Amino acid sequence: MTLLQLPSLRPKKKSSTAKAAKAAKGTGPDPIVLSAESVEIIGRELDAIRDRVVADLGTADRDYILRVVRTQRRLELAGRGLMFLGFLPPAWLAGVAALSASKILDNMEIGHNVMHGQYDWMRDDMLHSSSFEWDNVCPSDQWRHSHNYMHHTYTNILDLDRDIGYGLLRMEYEQKWNPLRLGNPLYAFALMMLFEWGVMMHDLEYDNVLKGKRKWSDVKGLLTGWWNKVRGQVAKDYIVHPALTGPLFPLTFAGNLTANLVRNVWAFSVIFCGHFPSGAQVFTQEETAEETRGEWYVRQMLGSANISGSPFMHLATGNLSHQIEHHLFPDLPAHRYPEIADEVRAICEEHGLPYTTGPLWKQVANVWSKMFRLALPLPPKAEDAPAVIIERRKTPVAA
């Protein structure tokens, strides 16, 4: 383990939250200082893991994702079929459960991961990131920009990663408080219930539109994409399939609406637990300028948090329960994350870095507690201080 503060290195400037949290901590332990040499060693160790998994990709990975696709399609068929018996409450409930599971699988383990390019190597148009379209009102090309590019490039960098609050919520102390922040929990609840619509609007950057920073010419293409995608999704779930069940139209409509709500609540919970529980660190643009590959890796590890649980739970989250591993290797098949998680955790322990994880209930409670606290103009607590200070070279090392 090499944790040194070298005089030849440029320390990062502490954020206002770090200073305030440090004051609250008083005589508590100082943050870990990770030397530039350790950062580059970590980078090489993680590159070695990635190279080994890439070299091993093959039939087992192809069989896995095709098996998940078959399961998702059978669940959707069962769910839609049971709606024809929706006048029987057990059949309606079973139909909603099957359709909810289908939508969760489609969005999480299939859609999210396929659109990351995790299966592009199969050269299968059905599962290629450039052609895949998911069961969601957000057009896949817009999601790939707002998520694959913006979020994964600028993970947890303030004012660059728009996933920090989705332009709506105060999720960090560095985000300035004003009286409108009092509605933070209410805004979060609304976003959770309407999450697919929030994801759709994510690339609009509505706050920049209101400020005049984005013009009509910048957003016209987005709106056209929305119209083309939304009309198909709405027609499928709220007109065509309900109409096919004849007099059961209201019950089928309600069943489809419920399945979409279940998927929205689940996806919101999983995604918000990935970056906002206590322990996940945020960064300033100054701290992350001209990052080396090792520094990028360390930021991804410090800015992400895992969810512990069973293999079934990992499948239902699209293996985003391994958010740390996902952010390190977003284009590796997600079902591989559990097998490399122990190695990533060992690297963190070897270099004294935190590996943030916890059961779902604990992470969800932590995130909601944070949203309530940040609705108020309260100072940060001691545990909100950054746990790690990354020392950086004056001249970046070639990645």
Side-chain angles (χ1 to χ4, degrees), residues 9 44-45 86 142 156 171 196 336:
L9 304 177
R44 290 194 291 273
E45 292 173 333
Q142 294 184 26
N156 278 29
M171 296 305 302
E196 67 171 324
R336 294 282 195 142

Side-chain angles (χ1 to χ4, degrees), residues 22 130 186 270 325 398:
K22 177 67 178 175
S130 63
L186 291 177
V270 170
E325 288 73 22

